[in-house]
Amino acid sequence: MRTSLKLTGLLIALLSLVISAAAQETPPKFQQPILISSAGQSADMKLIEKLAGKEKLETKAVNMAQPSDLDGIKTLILVPGFSSKGLGAAGVSQNDEMARVEVLIKAAQEKKIDIVMVHIGGTARRKGQSDAFNKISAEASKQMIVVSQGDEDKFFTNIAKEKNIPIEIVEKIIDTAEPLGKLFK
């Protein structure tokens, strides 16, 4: 009788582990419509808009998105990467841009809008002035998709591990489209 109870307990524990592992491997699902915005004013946001269109996702892209742009939105995609040219074109300073991104993230969190971070800028959009935008966007996200060149030093992988955020590493920018589409299907 004791052996039978021990075996039953062991089976239940094993089954719980299997179910838990399966749940962790399944990427979260996100809802549409989607707002795509830059965090740092790089042009990478435009590429993500095109790739989302290829996946037939319902999106609107606003480079300088404000909390009011979140009305009716279910998911916010942040595309981080510092660009002095982009900031100049937008007529804002780096500090202004960081403040805008912080307000946008806070508003999304208050409205319970999920955030997905997509980093496609590789080494050109890493370190230096980009990493503050990368870090705030990654830490606020519920899913990350990163082109491998941008994670050679495991910057995003380490944030994902520390914050328990699912991350998908892809080789090329074009490879971003499929995992992005799957998040919404």
Side-chain angles (χ1 to χ4, degrees):
M1 180 74 168
R2 279 186 157 178
T3 304
S4 178
L5 285 174
K6 284 181 182 177
L7 281 175
T8 302
L10 184 61
L11 284 174
I12 290 172
L14 283 173
L15 186 59
S16 297
L17 286 173
V18 169
I19 290 170
S20 176
Q24 289 176 356
E25 291 176 10
T26 304
K29 293 293 178 195
F30 297 90
Q31 296 180 325
Q32 303 179 59
I34 304 161
L35 173 65
I36 303 172
S37 187
S38 174
Q41 294 303 306
S42 76
D44 297 346
M45 183 196 86
K46 291 293 181 191
L47 288 172
I48 294 303
E49 181 184 18
K50 288 186 187 286
L51 292 173
K54 182 180 171 189
E55 292 295 312
K56 301 186 180 355
L57 300 179
E58 183 184 347
T59 65
K60 73 174 182 179
V62 180
N63 213 23
M64 296 285 294
Q66 301 296 322
S68 61
D69 293 308
L70 293 168
D71 292 345
I73 295 297
K74 301 288 187 187
T75 302
L76 170 64
I77 295 178
L78 287 174
V79 186
F82 173 83
S83 169
S84 58
K85 190 175 179 180
L87 289 172
V92 296
S93 71
Q94 183 177 350
N95 289 339
D96 293 339
E97 175 67 353
M98 182 57 75
R100 181 192 68 81
V101 173
E102 288 171 348
V103 167
L104 185 63
I105 288 172
K106 184 177 179 193
Q109 291 170 335
E110 287 174 357
K111 293 181 176 187
K112 302 200 181 314
I113 295 171
D114 291 328
I115 299 173
V116 174
M117 188 222 67
V118 182
H119 186 275
I120 61 169
T123 54
R125 301 279 184 246
R126 277 295 324 284
K127 301 186 179 174
Q129 294 163 310
S130 281
D131 272 356
F133 293 105
N134 293 332
K135 185 171 190 262
I136 192 172
S137 300
E139 289 181 342
S141 71
K142 289 191 173 180
Q143 173 73 47
M144 290 189 253
I145 300 174
V146 178
V147 173
S148 63
Q149 278 189 336
D151 196 45
E152 288 177 346
D153 61 356
K154 305 298 181 198
F155 176 83
F156 292 108
T157 297
N158 289 335
I159 292 173
K161 283 182 184 172
E162 182 183 324
K163 302 285 183 182
N164 199 24
I165 301 167
I167 184 170
E168 177 137 1
I169 306 289
V170 297
E171 285 304 310
K172 300 175 186 169
I173 293 172
I174 192 73
D175 298 336
T176 306
E178 186 180 337
L180 183 62
K182 283 183 180 176
L183 293 178
F184 298 91
K185 296 175 184 168

